Amino acid sequence: MPSPTWFERTALKSEYAIDFNRPALIGNELAYITEAVQRLQISGDGYYTRRCHALLEAALGVPKVFLTTSCTHALEMAALLLNIQPGDEVIVPAFTFVSTVNAFVLRGARPVFIDIRPDTLNMDEALLEGLVSERTRAILPVHYAGVGCEMDTILDVAGRHGIPVVEDDAHGLFGSYKGKTLGTFGCLATLSFHETKNISCGEGGALLVNDPALIERAEIIREKGTNRSRFFRGQVDKYTWVDIGSSYLPSDILAAFLFAQLEVREEIQRRRQCVWETYQTGLSSWAAQQDVRLPSIPDYCQQPYHMFYMILPTLEIRQALIAHLKKQGIQSVFHYLPLNLSDMGRHFGGKPGDCPVTEAISDRLLRLPFHAHLEQADQERVIAAVQAFEF
Ligand SMILES: Cc1ncc(COP(=O)(O)O)c(C=O)c1O
């Protein structure tokens, strides 16, 4: 059985001495995969999937969790559950991953892009009311870097207009806003277990169902539009096609890997907190002198330490810093491009100037190496390299 030492050695084959990301491997991931295979049930909804569901439901306080093959697929399930139809509008931040909106566009929705706040880079809740129309069918807050959106205002606007809220919580597992867990505000929320996330299984996700009225249909949509799960529970004597749906179940092999990660979540989160705080302490006075902005976390938000970013004065400086770090074997990366200016965004009428904060921040944001295996000495190299950068 390969050991974590094997993992460390293998990872050293990377092009970079210090990678931007490495998946965590500190629990029983490989042992559980072997066990899942030995159980001879490696399709979806097996032993480990059930354990992941139970653990997440208890840890998050969510009535029903469904593992999915990705966060993208959990978002697609949300669009199906909300019966999104051609011509419906969804309000989505321009600064997010394409899946937040594409899942709804697949059902025929038209995206209405909302700009972000310059501090947290979350949906600017002050703009929300002005974008609501009689065709708005969903509001899609994204908790960027796992820092909670202004949910009080968002839920107030949504509630007054009767619009469902779907939280894209791809970054925010185990974060909270004003003491309430992220992913428990909307009628639905989605998680990602992609390799780049704190807790991962390579590719994976989950749909969190907070509205009990949506649970039964979610189960059907996830099982190709059939009532197969009811059949396996002995609630019907045969299973059949009862609704639209698709195949959104991950293999139990992936769930085994994921369950091992969830078991050691406190250790993963502790290590990531340490990495985040080391960057914050090491870079804050340099950043203040250089007019560089570091993440801003409101004191009522508990962040899950998903990423550490810097906002540099210009695009040219950001690109030069990426190149400077690369020369020293350090991988740093930018993040989302404004969706309103993408080819698809323009197709829906997006144009420069629609979302000025998104457009300005997107060019200047840089993310530093961040993962649970990042050694203190390597982090110090990153900090020293950033501080040595002249601009
Ligand atoms: C905000 C957000 N939503 C959704 C996704 C899609 O996640 P997945 O790769 O699990 O489909 C991502 C990907 O990183 C993301 O950043």
Side-chain angles (χ1 to χ4, degrees):
M1 166 78 56
S3 67
T5 322
W6 160 86
F7 167 76
E8 293 294 341
R9 273 205 306 275
T10 310
L12 290 178
K13 289 191 188 136
S14 161
E15 180 194 345
Y16 289 91
I18 305 178
D19 294 314
F20 169 69
N21 179 60
R22 274 193 210 173
L25 192 64
I26 57 179
N28 287 327
E29 290 88 345
L30 303 177
Y32 287 177
I33 284 184
T34 305
E35 200 198 312
V37 175
Q38 286 166 345
R39 283 176 179 273
L40 304 178
Q41 201 216 339
I42 54 174
S43 57
D45 279 346
Y47 173 76
Y48 280 107
T49 305
R50 288 194 294 276
R51 294 193 76 182
C52 289
H53 286 170
L55 186 151
L56 284 166
E57 282 160 13
L60 303 176
V62 168
K64 191 74 198 126
V65 172
F66 291 105
L67 289 196
T68 55
T69 28
S70 63
C71 183
T72 301
H73 277 167
L75 287 157
E76 287 181 18
M77 284 183 67
L80 287 166
L81 276 164
L82 295 182
N83 287 317
I84 298 294
Q85 302 293 321
D88 289 349
E89 292 178 1
V90 296
I91 301 181
V92 61
F95 191 64
T96 184
F97 192 69
V98 58
S99 296
T100 317
V101 61
N102 203 32
F104 290 78
V105 169
L106 270 174
R107 311 305 314 154
R110 198 178 81 77
V112 174
F113 296 111
I114 185 167
D115 206 0
I116 53 170
R117 296 170 56 107
D119 51 3
T120 57
L121 315 188
N122 282 332
M123 160 184 290
D124 184 345
E125 72 286 354
L127 303 172
L128 190 54
E129 184 97 50
L131 295 175
V132 169
S133 81
E134 76 240 5
R135 304 185 127 197
T136 311
R137 294 290 175 272
I139 297 172
L140 308 171
V142 178
H143 305 300
Y144 186 72
V147 177
C149 293
E150 291 300 329
M151 292 313 298
D152 284 348
T153 309
I154 293 169
L155 290 180
D156 174 57
V157 174
R160 277 189 287 104
H161 294 276
I163 303 168
V165 171
V166 178
E167 296 169 75
D168 181 341
D169 197 22
H171 304 178
L173 177 60
F174 305 128
S176 65
Y177 166 84
K178 298 190 179 171
K180 187 168 155 60
T181 305
L182 299 183
T184 64
F185 290 90
C187 58
L188 297 164
T190 62
L191 300 177
S192 174
F193 300 119
H194 180 261
E195 181 187 63
T196 49
K197 303 305 184 295
N198 296 20
I199 306 281
S200 90
C201 58
E203 300 278 355
L207 180 71
L208 312 184
V209 187
N210 293 310
D211 178 351
L214 297 174
I215 294 175
E216 191 177 334
R217 188 159 179 248
E219 188 177 78
I220 289 167
I221 286 172
R222 179 168 166 271
E223 274 273 29
K224 300 103 180 160
T226 71
N227 56 356
R228 189 163 176 263
S229 297
R230 286 173 67 78
F231 171 69
F232 282 129
R233 287 197 299 267
Q235 293 166 315
V236 286
D237 58 8
K238 54 185 176 326
Y239 80 85
T240 185
W241 181 26
V242 292
D243 202 334
I244 55 170
S246 190
S247 182
Y248 294 121
L249 290 73
S251 157
D252 216 49
I253 298 177
L254 287 177
F257 192 99
L258 183 66
F259 184 69
Q261 299 242 311
L262 287 168
E263 273 188 332
V264 294
R265 61 193 178 282
E266 282 175 15
E267 173 62 10
I268 292 175
Q269 296 299 86
R270 188 194 62 72
R271 290 185 186 203
R272 297 186 72 105
Q273 176 171 1
C274 187
V275 171
W276 198 94
E277 286 170 356
T278 301
Y279 278 139
Q280 172 72 23
T281 311
L283 291 171
S284 56
S285 49
W286 169 84
Q289 282 158 19
Q290 304 291 334
D291 199 21
V292 171
R293 254 204 46 218
L294 301 185
S296 153
I297 320 290
D299 56 11
Y300 47 82
C301 288
Q302 177 59 53
Q303 62 148 329
Y305 305 101
H306 176 56
M307 74 169 83
F308 194 92
Y309 64 78
M310 307 194 293
I311 299 172
L312 294 142
T314 64
L315 169 66
E316 293 68 32
I317 293 172
R318 197 261 314 262
Q319 294 307 93
L321 180 52
I322 291 176
H324 164 85
L325 294 173
K326 186 173 182 190
K327 268 196 220 132
Q328 302 184 48
I330 300 167
Q331 186 182 24
S332 62
V333 296
F334 54 87
H335 212 185
Y336 309 130
L337 301 176
L339 284 178
N340 57 310
L341 302 183
S342 63
D343 288 353
M344 278 296 280
R346 285 176 195 263
H347 165 78
F348 285 110
K351 53 186 183 329
D354 285 346
C355 296
V357 182
T358 301
E359 291 164 36
I361 297 272
S362 163
D363 277 350
R364 298 190 282 129
L365 187 141
L366 176 148
R367 294 180 289 158
L368 291 176
F370 199 116
H371 55 81
H373 292 281
L374 192 55
E375 302 286 344
Q376 174 87 17
D378 282 346
Q379 230 194 323
E380 278 161 15
R381 272 180 62 191
V382 176
I383 292 170
V386 170
Q387 288 172 337
F389 174 65
E390 285 175 12
F391 60 92

